[in-house]
Amino acid sequence: MQQLDVILGLQWGDEGKGKIVDYLANDYDIVARFQGGPNAGHTLKFGGNKYVLHTVPSGIFRENLINLIGNGVVLDPVVFQRELRSLEQNNVQFRKRLLISRKAHLILPTHRWLDAASEAHKGKLKIGSTLKGIGPTYMDKTGRNGLRVGDVELPSFRDQYEALKTKHLELLKIYPEVPFDLAGEEAAWFESLDTLRSLLLVDGEYFINEALATGKKVLAEGAQGSMLDIDFGTYPFVTSSNTISAGVCTGLGVAPQRVGRVIGITKSYCTRVGGGPFPTEQDNEIGEKLRQEGQEFGSTTGRPRRCGWIDLPQLRYTILLNGVTELCMTKIDVLNIFSEISAATRYRYSGGEHANLPYDLCHMDVEPVLKSYKGWNSSLDGIKTFDDLPAEARAYLEDLENYLGVPFKMISTGPEREKLIIR
Ligand code: GDP
Ligand code: IMO
Ligand code: MG
């Protein structure tokens, strides 16, 4: 049975999924996004250029490869249209290669408005949402009120839209007022729907299963990270979808036994953007050094990312949840400048040391127990094999592998496509 492979983030997002998907895409026929929406920002660098994708799967730059936006995704047609225009400017031929599931849900202008109002209402306790309308759109999906991509082809579409918008306007009355140009946003939204209608809308679940049945190779591309998962992340400081491998089944319409390799990505350290607990955060010079060296500023919002050391109890947890079969470490080059590197190996809480995460990181005093490693203090440029890495870097990776019980099969040494060690 042909299985599909999955690439996803094991931390709080921005692990470098875009780069790795773009690299591996060459070995696949189809790349499919299965959850999230324009809250994602996936960066690709090659040929001296940098591209940031939000909705479009990261296989789009590889010729002949089909890219599918699955039913689990929430799509803002305005952001999507902007992304497509930028692809056109870069002469990327996507029209025959970009498919959108009819069952993906649409982000309305009022969803973004609700997102902003809800965050304003939370005040200091705000999630730190990207304000792309993600939460309100998934709420309407599970509340059975949503509009789907396939609805744009129905004669009743305008009425459906008006009904949902009216409901949103009523809901907005319970929130603080936030500025929003509804008329302008609405006009742009309807204009962008013409672009959407001109694209290949498909029944994604049939498409993907038929592709697998005929031996096509499929790579599922995760967005966000497992610690932002709606069920298992640092709730309520999470996103609104299942970011873990289970989300592949519901987000594409494939059965669990169809899932093959699960490639989990972690940075050599850890970052998070937005609010919420982050046990290994270094809100100090070390964090600042990681931020500058790693250029840790959001791909979607430009916000500075919070930085800290790699967290092994956290990674063990997300490896378990995802059934990770192999690991990829990105941004190992960022550690080049450190003489000493740390990693959390346990958490101290409730008077003891634990390898497991507590129920609720938000209301608990958790102190990471750090182990230190010797740095290598040298450039990794030009290194193509694991054995050629400095001894200290190999020791660091091997110690992590022992703790995590899964091998590092890929090590990324820079943002560019070719800077990758395959082991
Ligand atoms: P994603 O959301 O998981 O796709 O990650 P982002 O694109 O938001 O953030 C990852 C950032 O790190 C991007 O700016 C990448 O270009 C960059 N990047 C990816 N891999 C590496 C690496 O190995 N080394 C360095 N220095 N940068 C990397
Ligand atoms: P990629 O795919 C990092 C974070 C936001 C916020 C929380 C909820 O690029 O890794 P939302 O907009 O979903 O309501 O925000 O989740 N967040 C991300 N952080 N990378 C992402 O995506 C993220 N998508 C959402 O910062 O804390
Ligand atoms: Mg990102």
Side-chain angles (χ1 to χ4, degrees), residues 210-242:
E210 277 159 21
L212 287 168
T214 53
K216 295 276 192 294
K217 290 189 73 187
V218 182
L219 181 62
E221 172 181 7
Q224 290 77 57
S226 302
M227 293 305 287
L228 291 169
D229 182 90
I230 182 70
D231 281 278
F232 299 104
T234 44
Y235 193 88
F237 297 95
V238 293
T239 189
S240 300
S241 63
N242 279 118

Side-chain angles (χ1 to χ4, degrees), residues 12-14 17 39-42 127-130 223-224 238-239 273 303:
W12 279 276
D14 303 327
K17 300 174 289 292
N39 48 351
H42 295 181
I127 309 294
S129 165
T130 60
Q224 290 77 57
V238 293
T239 189
V273 58
R303 292 178 291 177

Side-chain angles (χ1 to χ4, degrees), residues 14-19 41-43 299 305 330-331 333-334 412-415:
D14 303 327
E15 295 89 350
K17 300 174 289 292
K19 171 191 162 154
H42 295 181
T43 314
S299 314
R305 294 175 183 148
T330 55
K331 305 193 98 161
D333 53 299
V334 174
S412 173
T413 59

Side-chain angles (χ1 to χ4, degrees), residues 157-233:
F157 180 70
R158 185 82 206 204
D159 292 342
Q160 283 174 263
Y161 170 81
E162 291 296 334
L164 190 54
K165 179 185 81 175
T166 306
K167 193 166 175 204
H168 289 166
L169 295 179
E170 282 303 310
L171 271 173
L172 280 160
K173 291 180 186 163
I174 66 169
Y175 289 123
E177 268 184 47
V178 292
F180 198 82
D181 168 23
L182 182 58
E185 300 285 347
E186 207 170 39
W189 195 77
F190 274 98
E191 193 234 295
S192 72
L193 290 179
D194 291 334
T195 302
L196 190 60
R197 284 190 193 93
S198 75
L199 296 168
L200 295 168
L201 310 186
V202 298
D203 297 317
E205 61 279 37
Y206 280 115
F207 172 80
I208 207 91
N209 281 292
E210 277 159 21
L212 287 168
T214 53
K216 295 276 192 294
K217 290 189 73 187
V218 182
L219 181 62
E221 172 181 7
Q224 290 77 57
S226 302
M227 293 305 287
L228 291 169
D229 182 90
I230 182 70
D231 281 278
F232 299 104

Side-chain angles (χ1 to χ4, degrees), residues 308-380:
W309 295 120
I310 199 165
D311 182 340
L312 303 182
Q314 178 270 302
L315 284 175
R316 251 178 43 144
Y317 179 61
T318 54
I319 285 169
L320 173 95
L321 293 170
N322 287 300
V324 170
T325 57
E326 59 205 86
L327 289 164
C328 166
M329 177 178 279
T330 55
K331 305 193 98 161
I332 193 167
D333 53 299
V334 174
L335 298 182
N336 291 351
I337 56 165
F338 288 86
S339 321
E340 192 188 343
I341 297 157
S342 298
T345 53
R346 292 174 97 71
Y347 284 179
R348 217 172 268 135
Y349 57 83
S350 307
E353 281 189 10
H354 308 268
N356 285 357
L357 271 59
Y359 158 64
D360 184 4
L361 275 171
C362 300
H363 298 100
M364 223 153 147
D365 248 344
V366 168
E367 194 197 330
V369 179
L370 296 179
K371 174 170 178 178
S372 88
Y373 299 83
K374 199 168 175 300
W376 44 92
N377 282 122
S378 60
S379 163
L380 303 179

